Amino acid sequence: MGSLGSVSASASAADAAPDVVRAWRPGIAGVAEVLHAAWHEHAYPAHTHDTWTVLVVDSGLIGYGLDGHEHAAQHTGVTVLPPGVVHDGRSVTTAGFRKRVVYLEPAVLDDGLVGRAVDAPLVLDDALRARFVGLDRALTVREDLAAESLLALVTEGLAWHLSGRPTPPREPATASTARRARDLLDTDPARPVRLTDVAAELDVTVPHLVRAFTREVGLPPHRYLVGRRLDLARRRLLAGEPAADVATATGFYDQAHLTRHFRRLLRTTPTRYQRGPA
């Protein structure tokens, strides 16, 4: 019996997935850090952050104390923990948990929202969760323009929930905003661009710019710009330029970045596309 028990315990230990922690600082204004973690038995002690902690749980259930009150971070919502407030954390189940966290600089959300976040840190909003997952994905694969767009929508959504959902201010006409933004992007699609600069040029907020552009054009600004850059890349590839040179000349980080979008659009690589008919 003792022998069988030892074998069973060894098998269970071998089957358990290892803990994983991955963190990095993306080059997006307002984002201090991104953290992906899978923990099975870890319980982290009471601590604070100087950032807003925004997270989703992919599996499991996290129990945590926040300012002396117990809460749970669950799969169905977005959890937001304010800066400077003490919290801890632990798995509620024996299976552990997986979470994705984006730490936002303090100025991204108003200080006046701290109290509301302490009282109700779990935001139950499927659309907001989907946007957060998209933001995390964009930060992970270095789609900076997409990340900037989604960050604006996520922070706007969090502020809307935490401030008691006031009536939004009247926004400028969408058609003129979209047309002017499209003209600015079309001037030089390959140049580096930030949506905050485009929005400032048009005297609108980034969330309004994204909504207006998407409504009028049918695509959000970052996807429109990727399409324009792919058009430029295709012409240069067919002219015989090396794929690595084409990538950097048309606004992509490198050849791998160009290849990822090429596969998504045409289900082939830039090199194969360049070869032409057999």
Side-chain angles (χ1 to χ4, degrees):
M1 292 291 290
S3 173
L4 288 175
S6 299
V7 171
S8 177
S10 298
S12 297
D15 291 340
D19 289 347
V20 176
V21 177
R22 180 187 174 206
W24 70 98
R25 183 182 180 95
I28 301 296
V31 179
E33 181 186 337
V34 181
L35 172 75
H36 293 175
W39 286 317
H40 297 84
E41 297 181 349
H42 177 57
Y44 40 90
H47 62 286
T48 66
H49 296 290
D50 60 359
T51 57
W52 289 87
T53 303
V54 186
L55 66 98
V56 294
V57 177
D58 291 313
S59 65
L61 181 65
I62 306 173
Y64 64 95
L66 177 67
D67 197 35
H69 299 280
E70 285 298 313
H71 298 274
Q74 56 196 41
H75 181 268
T76 53
V78 178
T79 295
V80 54
L81 309 179
V85 181
V86 175
H87 63 279
D88 59 12
R90 73 210 73 87
S91 178
V92 174
T93 70
T94 57
F97 61 86
R98 287 190 300 111
K99 68 175 182 177
R100 286 176 282 173
V101 188
V102 177
Y103 297 94
L104 303 178
E105 299 288 358
V108 169
L109 290 170
D110 190 90
D111 287 345
L113 301 177
V114 168
R116 189 65 177 262
V118 170
D119 294 338
L122 180 63
V123 177
L124 296 174
D125 183 328
D126 291 341
L128 180 63
R129 191 184 195 282
R131 284 172 173 168
F132 179 90
V133 170
L135 168 62
D136 174 79
R137 167 68 179 167
L139 292 170
T140 301
V141 299
R142 289 192 62 191
E143 294 288 352
D144 288 356
L145 207 62
E148 187 185 4
S149 172
L150 288 163
L151 175 63
L153 295 175
V154 166
T155 53
E156 181 190 57
L158 288 172
W160 186 74
H161 279 280
L162 295 176
S163 61
R165 308 178 186 182
T167 302
R170 183 178 178 85
E171 294 185 324
T174 60
S176 61
T177 298
R179 183 176 62 253
R180 292 166 62 201
R182 187 170 183 170
D183 289 343
L184 287 172
L185 296 178
D186 284 342
T187 300
D188 184 1
R191 70 180 176 89
V193 64
R194 296 175 65 237
L195 291 183
T196 51
D197 295 334
V198 176
E201 177 79 13
L202 303 180
D203 195 27
V204 297
T205 66
V206 174
H208 171 67
L209 168 63
V210 174
R211 283 192 295 268
F213 197 97
T214 303
R215 188 177 301 122
E216 295 298 321
V217 178
L219 292 171
H222 63 273
R223 286 182 57 193
Y224 174 79
L225 194 58
V226 166
R228 294 285 287 108
R229 288 172 175 175
L230 284 171
D231 282 345
L232 297 176
R234 291 165 71 174
R235 295 184 191 118
R236 297 180 79 134
L237 287 167
L238 293 180
E241 296 183 41
D245 294 344
V246 169
T248 55
T250 55
F252 296 93
Y253 292 116
D254 51 27
Q255 187 172 344
H257 189 207
L258 171 63
T259 298
R260 182 166 68 248
H261 283 289
F262 231 83
R263 286 185 182 278
R264 185 177 300 166
L265 180 68
L266 298 172
R267 207 171 180 179
T268 190
T269 67
T271 303
R272 289 173 181 164
Y273 178 85
Q274 192 175 45
R275 288 175 188 158

